[in-house]
Amino acid sequence: MKAIILAGGIGTRLRPLSCTRPKLLFPILNKPLLDWTFERLAETGVDGVTLAVKYMAEVFMQRYGESTHGMKLSYSKEKKPMRTGGAIKYAEEFIGHEEPFLVLNGDIFSTIDYTALLKKHKESNAVATIALYRVEDPSRYGTVKLTENSQVTQFIEKAPLGQAPSNLINAGVYVLDPKIFNYIPAGQPVSIEHEVFPKLAKEGKLFGHEFKEIWIDIGKPADYLRANRILLDAEPKKRFLGKDVNVEEGAQISDPVRVDAGVNVGQNSRIGPYAVIGRDVVLGRNVTLENSVVFPEATISDNASVRGAVIGEGTTIGRGAEISEGCVIGDYVTIRDNVTISRDVTVCPSKEVTENVPEHKRII
């Protein structure tokens, strides 16, 4: 079986961290999101994956090459943004017309059983079968009206609050029959959600499959932090310390935590709960770090505190600095000593912050 991963998005809502890496390479428990997806596809028996790419396409090509996890990789590189349907059509030459194939939105983390989704697709003789997930607020997503035999009779993309046909949302994972290519005009941007799925629903050729495993849309910084938190809770091993991690005298670690190789935790520091620390990070003495993700090679100096934030690669947090809930600090930023950054502040890559930031703003 083959699969397409839609990987061309810019990740605007994840800036400033997406300014320097594709969002599919954001680490989840210190492993890129895309690696998690590749692992699960390989376990399902997928033997060929096409990455539909545009933004930072070369980064994917350099990292993964022509194969990964025992699967052959190909790259469908768009010359202009083609939207979801256009990207699928653009990858037609790599997929062929022999059998149904998987399509995944690349910025989704899920433990859905792909085999069960494929089984439902084959049983219903559908052109498209959508994985469906139940949420409290469906207004950010496409929603469906479903019959008892799982046929989708109505598909509405991002209905206003209170007007959605159900709380079952499009989870961004599909099985498509090659007939889908007949519904997508070539050479132009097409939204499969706005233009193709509603048409299939009217024709009775769109079906759904509800699942209840883990599903997280990593579209915003808060969602990204939540994904790491959920996975920390799901992991049977609540404390993982990588190779050559040094924890100095008096440091306290509160589970769950995930600490990558080469990290140094200074004296009397308090780490966790819900701390994910990338490789070669240096934490000074009496540091407080909780409910946060720290990318590789960052430094958090003596007496600094980081709560509910994301700290970019190679960034330096000065002595006694405070980074508050909801902050996203880009790569290679310098926060000077004793600077306080208030809630929900974002700092773009390579900036230097020398004075307190008392209100929500973006430093560019």
Side-chain angles (χ1 to χ4, degrees), residues 35-221:
D35 282 27
W36 289 92
T37 303
F38 280 147
E39 287 178 5
R40 300 208 59 255
L41 289 173
E43 291 168 359
T44 304
V46 170
D47 54 14
V49 177
T50 296
L51 282 178
V53 295
K54 188 179 188 302
Y55 177 68
M56 293 191 181
E58 293 75 16
V59 175
F60 294 111
M61 296 175 181
Q62 291 171 6
R63 178 179 176 86
Y64 296 106
E66 297 180 355
S67 65
T68 186
H69 297 79
M71 302 179 296
K72 182 181 177 181
L73 279 186
S74 55
Y75 300 89
S76 176
K77 188 175 179 182
E78 303 167 12
K79 296 178 182 178
K80 62 180 182 179
M82 300 297 288
R83 307 184 75 185
T84 49
I88 293 167
K89 181 70 172 180
Y90 212 70
E92 182 176 4
E93 63 175 301
F94 300 104
I95 295 300
H97 298 85
E98 290 77 29
E99 61 179 353
F101 58 96
L102 279 164
V103 175
L104 291 75
N105 287 353
D107 56 358
I108 298 297
F109 182 94
S110 179
T111 58
I112 181 176
D113 183 349
Y114 298 129
T115 304
L117 179 63
L118 182 64
K119 182 173 182 287
K120 173 62 71 68
H121 178 81
K122 290 180 176 178
E123 289 173 351
S124 59
N125 197 30
V127 171
T129 302
I130 309 173
L132 301 172
Y133 192 75
R134 195 173 296 275
V135 299
E136 289 185 12
D137 178 10
S139 60
R140 283 173 56 188
Y141 309 99
T143 50
V144 303
K145 186 175 183 180
L146 209 60
T147 66
E148 289 186 0
N149 70 340
S150 299
Q151 182 179 335
V152 176
T153 58
Q154 189 177 21
F155 184 97
I156 301 177
E157 182 68 9
K158 296 180 181 176
L161 188 63
Q163 297 182 31
S166 73
N167 283 56
L168 287 173
I169 66 163
N170 169 17
V173 181
Y174 322 121
V175 176
L176 304 179
D177 187 271
K179 293 175 185 175
I180 196 71
F181 294 123
N182 298 328
Y183 289 83
I184 307 173
Q188 65 186 62
V190 177
S191 167
I192 197 167
E193 299 88 352
H194 286 95
E195 301 172 58
V196 179
F197 286 161
K199 184 175 182 180
L200 289 175
K202 288 181 180 179
E203 294 180 2
K205 298 176 182 177
L206 183 65
F207 284 75
H209 170 70
E210 184 179 358
F211 69 99
K212 297 182 180 179
E213 291 93 343
I214 294 173
W215 181 86
I216 311 163
D217 174 10
I218 304 176
K220 297 180 178 179

Side-chain angles (χ1 to χ4, degrees), residues 301 317-321 335-339 353-354:
S301 305
I317 308 297
R319 293 182 180 89
I335 308 293
R336 288 298 181 188
D337 295 351
N338 301 310
V339 166
V353 183
T354 59

